[in-house]
């Protein structure tokens, strides 16, 4: 049977390596440091049971009916109030509910990118963003980073020398995959540069509230005086990912374009799920829940770091993230993490090889380890096994 | 503040007129024949309350967790079995769950359309499909239709004379906006033509089970011997739209491209909603529910037709749909339905002007009337008012 003639944009797309690995590790018995999958044992199951009934009782048929594309107004109001605590001033009219922050990444590409445009990103950066943007046949340019975030001078240099730069994608807080948090000074310098160049910024911020040490810093959006920052938030890491509840907060004109994208892509969100999240925020103490999640994940991060120190070969380097879900491990340059994964999987341990997170460079000597999905015992056991595997390579 | 430089594809997009009108008519006191919005009074609320608890009890944290992009396997199995009753033979691997059938329309454009490609469609056709495809900077060509569906000779003529035709979008059962059902003979002739030209077909089928008279005919997908038909189904009209549960059934190679689209757009569906629908199908008799919905809508269709006859001017023409949610009314050529709407709204009655449903031609003398959202009394009252308005124009 002859194949169809697909659109040109499909040529560059391949199945998400991470999601394919996640499919594999969904099997029982696998110790997985691969996906940044929240530990389901922490989900507030009883609260969800309670609010699901309340939604049906209080909202009735409206909770299962068509509704506006923008989403449930009370939830947008609650999001506005939550963001105000981070320093983001907004109105309900600046907020659109999304199927997770991923949909916001996709929409930002859809409304901004023409073929051949360049997207700037951190080096390394979130794979799912690269996949979403690739659909629009753009190119990528990695901006050099250090432990404090994007290096403003490097950004400035790139903006001065390369034409066609259309936007920059960033994860300033506890980045996927490195766990890095940009410093306040860097945030200010960064905004100064993008303001000068009138460059739209996507601030992808799903980990903002998963802070374990230090202090929360103002999101870029809180420092945005020119309406250039498209802020993406999510309930996936602080409540649960299965309800697919995220949002975008942006300047009205940008938001209008996001609404157009929403209408043509799937008309509107899930009205029941929007109310579930809204009622949870109304009737339960999400801050107390986040506190519990933080405490658990912080402990696991500490255990993982301890195990890296005791079990991994000495000539590796790892980040010491202050929040989020990932530790990034750099191996000696001659070690290919994809080969390490093949051996690790034989011992029922999984992680994501770092090579996937670079759009341009061929950097294969890194691993992304998630410390949130497994409990202490699993982390200790898996890291020991992984250490053994690494020692056969190094 | 200077505006951003948006992507070229955004130029042709405008806010969905239908969804903007729907926003207006969400206000209490409006008699709306505008959206094909199911009557929420028929939603099985108690069943949803029951299954929501069962999902949490039986599936636990899994029902709120990340999962595979393809969707919950038991639901895909149930969909496969339901489609087998319509005559569609498939495997679970041919099925991907979607956020409503709209997401499938969008994905079909995404994987198939390059700039300048031509999409064939019925004349008139579903507005939401036009909006989704426009994103990919395609052009449209309307294929002439009569009461029996697309005219195969006209399709053949177009395929022979116009290059760049990439796909055809169809709604063979109780079409939006006309309510038309293609005859069996036309379906067979159509498949013969598209097979010969190896033309991919999107079969958008949200109304298939809302049949009031006559018999169900095989979907195009059931007649598809070459893997060319991309079948889109939905639970929106037979269960409820708020959970946003639709699916695509297609050839494996096409489906693989849909999965890529799903991964980059929103990673996966809502795991809780997928289980809600699956448990509903497992524990309740959806056929009995559909029977009740059918009986109610059939009666309303009859009332609306009766009111057209008694209250509308004589020199109009209307379809007599055997299923679905819409009646299509053609006014004398010098009457503009958008102007009629402006007057109708003053009397708190709404509908959708037909002009929105033609991508090419400027046909403004038609109205789409939904008969499903309002009850008998509301239909009688609204149609009487609409008749009065029409008589001032005709």
């Amino acid at each position: 049977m002859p194949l169809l003639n697909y659109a040109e944009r499909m040529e560059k797309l391949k199945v998400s390596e991470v999601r394919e690995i996640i499919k594999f590790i969904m099997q029982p018995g696998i110790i997985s440091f691969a996906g940044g999958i929240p530990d389901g044992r922490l989900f507030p199951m009883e609260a969800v049971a309670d609010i699901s009934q309340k939604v049906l009782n209080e909202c009735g048929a409206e909770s299962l009916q068509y509704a506006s594309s923008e989403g449930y107004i009370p939830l947008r109001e609650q999001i506005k109030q939550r963001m105000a605590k981070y320093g983001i001033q907004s109105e309900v009219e600046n907020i659109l509910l999304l199927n997770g922050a991923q949909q916001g990444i996709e929409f930002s590409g859809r409304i901004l990118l023409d073929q051949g445009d360049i997207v700037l990103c951190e080096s390394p950066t979130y794979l799912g963003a690269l996949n979403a943007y690739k659909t629009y046949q753009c190119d990528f340019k990695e901006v050099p980073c250090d432990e404090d975030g994007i290096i403003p001078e490097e950004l400035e240099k790139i903006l001065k020398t390369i034409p066609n730069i259309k936007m920059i994608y960033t994860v300033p807080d506890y980045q996927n995959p490195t766990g890095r948090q940009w410093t306040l000074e860097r945030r200010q310098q960064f905004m100064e540069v993008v303001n000068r160049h009138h460059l739209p910024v996507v601030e992808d911020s799903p980990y903002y509230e998963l802070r374990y040490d230090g202090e929360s810093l103002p999101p870029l959006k809180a420092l945005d005086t020119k309406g250039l920052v498209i802020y993406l938030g999510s309930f996936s890491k602080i409540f649960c990912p299965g309800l697919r509840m995220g949002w975008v907060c942006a300047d009205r004109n940008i938001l209008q374009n996001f609404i157009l994208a929403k209408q043509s892509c799937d008309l509107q969100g899930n009205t029941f799920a929007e109310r579930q999240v809204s009622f949870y925020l109304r009737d339960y103490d999400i801050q107390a829940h986040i506190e519990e999640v933080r405490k658990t994940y912080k402990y696991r991060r500490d255990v993982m770091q301890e195990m890296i120190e005791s079990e991994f070969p000495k000539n590796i380097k790892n980040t010491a993230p202050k929040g989020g879900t990932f530790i990034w491990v750099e191996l000696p340059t001659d070690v290919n993490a994809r080969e390490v994964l093949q051996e690790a999987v034989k011992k029922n341990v999984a992680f994501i090889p770092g090579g996937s997170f670079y759009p341009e460079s061929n950097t294969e000597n890194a691993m992304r380890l998630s410390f949130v999905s497994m409990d202490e015992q699993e982390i200790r056991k898996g890291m020991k096994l992984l250490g053994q595997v690494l020692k056969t390579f190094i």
Side-chain angles (χ1 to χ4, degrees), chain A:
Chain A
M1 199 171 299
L3 295 180
L4 294 187
N5 189 7
Y6 293 104
E8 217 182 284
R9 76 180 62 83
M10 297 307 287
E11 280 165 26
K12 283 191 182 173
L13 289 187
K14 41 180 195 192
V15 174
S16 159
E17 199 171 15
V18 175
R19 291 196 73 80
E20 289 302 302
I21 294 174
I22 289 173
K23 239 196 275 183
F24 160 76
I25 56 147
M26 283 291 182
Q27 298 165 53
I30 307 281
I31 295 179
S32 172
F33 306 130
I37 298 176
D39 189 339
R41 290 167 284 201
L42 299 171
F43 292 161
M45 300 304 295
E46 279 174 36
V48 175
D50 175 45
I51 53 161
S52 299
Q53 294 310 299
K54 281 184 180 157
V55 165
L56 291 166
N57 291 338
E58 293 181 35
C59 304
E62 189 191 270
S63 62
L64 303 174
Q65 186 56 285
Y66 282 120
S68 80
S69 301
E70 290 87 338
Y72 188 52
I73 292 172
L75 179 55
R76 289 154 68 208
E77 179 66 44
Q78 288 161 320
I79 288 170
K80 176 191 130 174
Q81 284 166 14
R82 286 180 58 73
M83 288 193 302
K85 290 187 202 153
Y86 324 156
I88 297 172
Q89 300 307 321
S90 65
E91 298 300 329
V92 165
E93 291 73 23
N94 296 112
I95 298 165
L96 167 71
L97 301 183
L98 299 169
N99 302 331
Q102 179 72 25
Q103 191 171 47
I105 299 173
E106 144 66 22
F107 286 176
S108 67
R110 170 180 289 253
I111 71 169
L112 287 170
L113 297 177
D114 287 314
Q115 185 167 10
D117 281 345
I118 290 170
V119 176
L120 300 183
C121 60
E122 291 162 90
S123 174
T125 190
Y126 168 52
L127 177 63
L130 300 178
N131 271 334
Y133 294 138
K134 267 182 198 163
T135 308
Y136 299 104
Q137 298 168 282
C138 62
D139 295 312
F140 296 97
K141 176 77 192 160
E142 299 171 20
V143 185
C145 300
D146 61 19
E147 277 163 29
D148 296 335
I150 271 189
I151 302 168
E153 295 75 20
E154 298 284 346
L155 175 61
E156 183 78 60
K157 209 188 303 174
I158 289 168
L159 285 168
K160 275 187 181 153
T161 53
I162 301 178
N164 281 352
I165 293 171
K166 202 58 166 293
M167 60 186 282
I168 179 162
Y169 170 79
T170 69
V171 189
D173 287 286
Y174 324 123
Q175 194 227 22
N176 179 354
T178 63
R180 268 193 302 242
Q181 183 193 30
W182 296 13
T183 62
L184 177 57
E185 196 189 359
R186 281 290 173 84
R187 289 168 201 244
Q188 289 162 337
Q189 292 169 334
F190 174 85
M191 287 311 299
E192 200 272 315
V193 176
V194 299
N195 279 343
R196 199 144 22 78
H197 291 268
H198 198 66
L199 183 70
V201 177
V202 174
E203 178 175 28
D204 188 10
S205 194
Y207 311 108
Y208 190 77
E209 302 214 40
L210 293 186
R211 178 177 52 76
Y212 315 129
D213 307 314
E215 49 177 348
S216 286
L217 297 175
L220 300 176
K221 186 68 189 159
L223 308 172
D224 177 24
T225 52
K226 300 205 167 179
L228 287 170
V229 178
I230 297 167
Y231 181 86
L232 304 177
S234 171
F235 288 100
S236 290
K237 315 298 188 217
I238 55 173
F239 181 41
C240 66
L243 298 183
R244 312 302 303 124
M245 199 54 63
W247 72 90
V248 56
C249 171
D251 174 81
R252 292 262 189 121
N253 194 276
I254 297 175
L255 202 84
Q256 193 54 36
N257 282 279
F258 267 76
I259 294 168
L260 283 172
K262 185 76 186 164
Q263 289 184 343
S264 63
C265 286
D266 55 13
L267 301 181
Q268 61 169 82
N270 178 321
T271 46
F272 188 72
E274 291 174 0
R275 283 161 180 76
Q276 282 176 305
V277 176
S278 178
F279 279 46
Y280 179 72
L281 294 175
R282 186 193 72 179
D283 294 349
Y284 289 84
D285 183 353
I286 193 173
Q287 289 315 129
H289 173 67
I290 293 172
E291 221 29 78
E292 191 198 326
V293 171
R294 271 186 191 147
K295 222 175 91 184
T296 308
Y297 289 173
K298 178 189 166 90
Y299 184 71
R300 292 178 186 177
R301 178 204 60 180
D302 293 344
V303 171
M304 185 172 270
Q305 283 182 332
E306 180 200 318
M307 293 303 286
I308 288 176
E309 226 153 293
S310 67
E311 303 296 326
F312 278 22
K314 293 301 158 212
N315 51 344
I316 61 112
K317 250 175 67 183
N318 62 281
T319 56
K322 290 181 185 153
T325 61
F326 302 114
I327 293 180
W328 182 250
V329 177
E330 285 181 39
L331 308 172
T333 49
D334 62 332
V335 179
N336 186 324
R338 293 183 206 267
E339 291 167 17
V340 176
L341 176 63
Q342 278 176 17
E343 294 308 310
V345 157
K346 291 179 191 161
K347 293 184 184 279
N348 283 341
V349 183
F351 63 88
I352 307 288
S356 308
F357 301 95
Y358 294 92
E360 291 183 300
S361 45
N362 280 320
T363 310
E364 294 294 354
N365 61 319
M367 318 162 49
R368 189 191 75 175
L369 300 178
S370 159
F371 53 81
V372 298
S373 318
M374 301 286 118
D375 65 21
E376 176 179 1
Q377 205 192 342
E378 293 164 321
I379 294 175
R380 289 195 189 278
K381 187 175 162 199
M383 291 297 282
K384 201 162 206 158
L385 290 166
L386 201 49
Q388 289 165 10
V389 171
L390 278 173
K391 281 172 185 162
T392 68
F393 281 86
I394 299 174

